[in-house]
Amino acid sequence: MGERAHSGRRPGVSGTRAAIEAAARRQFAELGYDRTSLRQVAIEAGVDPGLVTHYYGAKPQLFRTVVELPFEPAAMAAAVVPGDRAEVGLRLARFVLGVLEDETGRRRVVGLVRAAASEPEAARIIRDLVTSQIIVPIAEQLDVPDPAYRAGLVMSQIVGLTMARYVVGIEPLASRPAAGVAADLAGTLQRYLAGDLGAG
Amino acid sequence: MGERAHSGRRPGVSGTRAAIEAAARRQFAELGYDRTSLRQVAIEAGVDPGLVTHYYGAKPQLFRTVVELPFEPAAMAAAVVPGDRAEVGLRLARFVLGVLEDETGRRRVVGLVRAAASEPEAARIIRDLVTSQIIVPIAEQLDVPDPAYRAGLVMSQIVGLTMARYVVGIEPLASRPAAGVAADLAGTLQRYLAGDLGAG
C-alpha cells in the first residue's frame, strides 16, 4: 500500500509489484497456499511469470511478502494492556471476537489458520509472523513467569475458537452471540495471561 | 477391519473394498483431503477407478467411510468421567495429551484438523462425526447447564492445542513436556466442563 504514492502516473516496477501482490493476496486467501501458483498469480496480474520469479523467487517468499496479520499488533496492545489487570482476559477476548466477527478480519484469520494447517512451509512462515508480531509483544507486556509459553497457550485457544466456531461450525458454539462467547473465553485467557498455571 | 474375517481365502468384494479403503486412509492422511483423488486411490489399490466410484460414489462418501476418530469414544468416557468431578478437567487433559503424544493418535488428530481446515466438505463430515461421537456423548455425561456448548468449547481448546503445539509448533509450547501442558490445560477444561462460565 505504501507504494501507491509513487505509482500514480505510469505503471513501473512499483505498479507491477502492487499488481502481483494484490493477485497473490487474493489467490492465497481464496484458493489457499497449496492451490496458489506463481503462474496463475502472474496471469491475474497481467505480467510474465518470469517476472514474478525475478521479483520474489519462489512461493514461500511471495507468501511471506503478502501475508497480513488480521489486525495491527499495536492496536491489540492498546485495546488489551491498559486497565485493570484482573480483566485483561476479558479485554483480549472481546478484541479477538471483534476481529473474528468482522468479515475482513475473519477472512484473514481463517486464511492464516487454513494456510498453517495445510502446508508445513506456510506454517513456518506464519509461526515466525505470529511469534514476532503477537507472542513476543504480548509476552513483553506481561510481568509474569513464562510469558512466551503463556502467549502460546493464548494463541492455541484463539486458533481453536477460529476452527470450531468459524471454520468447522460446531453447534451451538457457532451460532452463540459473540458477547457471550467472549465472556466464556475471558476466564481462560485471564488464567493463561495472568493467573496461576498448573494446579488450576 | 471387521470384514477381514470374511476375506481370508480369496480376494472378493470385501478384499477389494479393504484394499481401496486402506489406500484411501493412507492418501487422505498423507496428502490431505484436497490432493487425494479417487483415481490415485484406485491405482494404489490395484483396481479400476470405475470400481471405486461404483462402491463409494464420490470423494465425500469415501472420506466418510474411512475417516477415523483418533480414539474410541467409550475409552475416553471411561478414562474421564468416573472419579472426582473437581478433577474431570485434569483427567480429560491427560487423556488428550496421551492421544496426541502417541504417534498414531497424533497423526489421526492432525489429519482430521488438516482436512477440516482445508475443505468445507471435509469440515462438514468431521463436524458431524465429532458432534455425534464426542460432543453428544460428553454432553450426556455432564449434569450441567448448556452441555453441548461446553463440549464445543472443550473441542475448541483441543483443536487449538493440536494446531499450536503439533502442526505449527509455536515455541515454547511445542517443546514443553506433555505432563506440564496437561496440567495447564486442566483448569481450562475443568471450567468448560463443570465450572461457572461467563463472569470467570
Side-chain angles (χ1 to χ4, degrees):
Chain A
M1 299 295 263
E3 300 197 18
R4 238 177 225 174
H6 307 289
S7 64
R9 279 177 301 181
R10 57 197 155 82
V13 169
S14 66
T16 304
R17 277 184 173 267
I20 293 169
E21 291 171 16
R25 234 172 242 118
R26 199 196 63 74
Q27 292 192 24
F28 281 126
E30 288 181 21
L31 305 177
Y33 184 87
D34 267 14
R35 280 176 286 183
T36 295
S37 72
L38 296 192
R39 184 176 175 76
Q40 284 302 320
V41 166
I43 289 171
E44 180 174 333
V47 303
D48 186 86
L51 208 57
V52 178
T53 311
H54 174 70
Y55 283 149
Y56 300 96
K59 190 156 76 167
Q61 286 77 45
L62 180 58
F63 182 69
R64 195 186 295 270
T65 303
V66 302
V67 69
E68 293 174 298
L69 281 178
F71 50 82
E72 289 293 323
M76 184 186 68
V80 172
V81 174
D84 184 358
R85 169 60 67 103
E87 298 207 320
V88 65
L90 182 59
R91 290 194 296 276
L92 178 56
R94 285 179 177 158
F95 181 84
V96 167
L97 267 292
V99 170
L100 286 165
E101 293 292 315
D102 170 73
E103 200 187 310
T104 303
R106 179 170 60 247
R107 200 174 55 231
R108 287 187 187 173
V109 178
V110 169
L112 286 176
V113 170
R114 286 207 159 116
S118 72
E119 256 297 313
E121 212 163 60
R124 274 191 296 275
I125 295 167
I126 290 165
R127 184 187 60 205
D128 294 348
L129 182 78
V130 166
T131 301
S132 64
Q133 300 295 305
I134 303 180
I135 304 274
V136 170
I138 290 179
E140 279 173 355
Q141 308 273 357
L142 296 174
D143 183 22
V144 288
D146 227 356
Y149 173 66
R150 289 170 180 270
L153 289 173
V154 165
M155 287 306 303
S156 79
Q157 178 59 85
I158 294 171
V159 168
L161 178 76
T162 303
M163 283 289 296
R165 178 172 161 96
Y166 301 97
V167 176
V168 176
I170 288 178
E171 292 293 358
L173 175 58
S175 54
R176 207 50 73 91
V181 176
D184 295 333
L185 289 188
T188 298
L189 302 186
Q190 181 70 31
R191 200 169 130 274
Y192 289 160
L193 284 171
D196 286 338
L197 293 179
Chain B
M1 300 299 259
E3 299 197 20
R4 239 180 225 171
H6 308 289
S7 64
R9 279 177 300 179
R10 58 197 155 82
V13 169
S14 66
T16 305
R17 278 183 174 266
I20 293 170
E21 292 172 15
R25 234 173 244 119
R26 197 195 64 74
Q27 293 193 24
F28 281 125
E30 287 181 21
L31 305 178
Y33 184 87
D34 268 14
R35 280 177 288 182
T36 295
S37 72
L38 296 192
R39 184 176 176 77
Q40 284 301 319
V41 167
I43 289 171
E44 180 175 331
V47 304
D48 187 87
L51 207 57
V52 178
T53 310
H54 174 71
Y55 283 148
Y56 300 95
K59 190 157 75 167
Q61 286 77 46
L62 179 60
F63 182 68
R64 194 186 296 271
T65 303
V66 303
V67 69
E68 292 175 298
L69 282 178
F71 50 83
E72 289 293 323
M76 185 187 68
V80 171
V81 173
D84 185 357
R85 168 62 67 106
E87 297 207 320
V88 64
L90 182 59
R91 290 194 296 276
L92 178 57
R94 286 180 176 156
F95 181 84
V96 166
L97 267 292
V99 169
L100 286 165
E101 293 291 314
D102 170 74
E103 200 188 311
T104 303
R106 180 169 61 247
R107 202 174 55 231
R108 287 186 186 175
V109 177
V110 168
L112 286 176
V113 170
R114 286 207 159 117
S118 72
E119 256 298 313
E121 212 163 60
R124 274 192 297 275
I125 294 167
I126 290 165
R127 184 187 60 205
D128 293 349
L129 182 78
V130 166
T131 301
S132 64
Q133 301 295 306
I134 303 180
I135 304 274
V136 170
I138 290 180
E140 280 173 352
Q141 308 271 359
L142 295 175
D143 183 22
V144 288
D146 228 356
Y149 173 65
R150 289 170 180 269
L153 290 173
V154 165
M155 286 306 303
S156 79
Q157 178 59 86
I158 293 171
V159 168
L161 178 76
T162 304
M163 283 289 295
R165 179 172 160 96
Y166 300 97
V167 176
V168 176
I170 288 178
E171 292 293 358
L173 176 58
S175 54
R176 206 51 72 90
V181 176
D184 295 333
L185 289 188
T188 298
L189 302 185
Q190 180 69 32
R191 202 169 129 273
Y192 290 161
L193 285 171
D196 286 339
L197 293 179

